[in-house]
Amino acid sequence: MSDKPSVLFVCVHNAGRSQMAAGWLTHLAGDRIQVRSAGSAPAESINPAAIAAMREVGIDITAEQPKVLTVEAVEASDVVITMGCGDACPIFPGKRYEDWKLEDPAGQGIDAVRPIRDEIHARIEKLIKELT
């Protein structure tokens, strides 16, 4: 890893879990960690319930857009965290890979998204301690 580690969050639509994770990591780590997110089949827009759940904790992810997963994004990242993208994520030697089993917030209301947001928060705090 370089002096400034980089983390890539990947889920299928890059509209919920990976966007919330990127929002938490950016918010909590500031410029100490480079943050990316992408999806194997990106949605048109961010999940409104994810936006609302993050807004409740003071994090604004409304400016984000789902992005397609590229080989370049994986190559440029030290840590790749998948959240249900299956085999779509390319594997490169020397990268740290984690698969976070998280419920998919797609199509769910804010009451169902809050616990997902909070679980991601706890995992992000642990990740920051490991990387800094």
Side-chain angles (χ1 to χ4, degrees), residues 58-108:
I59 301 172
D60 183 4
I61 60 171
T62 57
E64 300 302 323
Q65 289 295 316
K67 296 167 279 307
V68 69
L69 176 63
T70 65
V71 170
E72 294 79 19
V74 177
E75 286 179 319
S77 301
D78 298 307
V79 180
V80 179
I81 298 175
T82 58
M83 303 170 178
C85 75
D87 296 331
C89 191
I91 304 292
F92 291 96
K95 305 287 179 199
R96 174 179 162 185
Y97 290 89
E98 291 184 25
D99 185 40
W100 290 0
K101 304 282 188 223
L102 297 163
E103 191 172 339
D104 188 350
Q108 299 195 55

Side-chain angles (χ1 to χ4, degrees), residues 48-54 56 108-115 117:
I51 291 171
M54 294 301 284
E56 287 181 349
Q108 299 195 55
I110 189 139
D111 289 337
V113 175
R114 284 183 187 114
R117 173 202 65 201

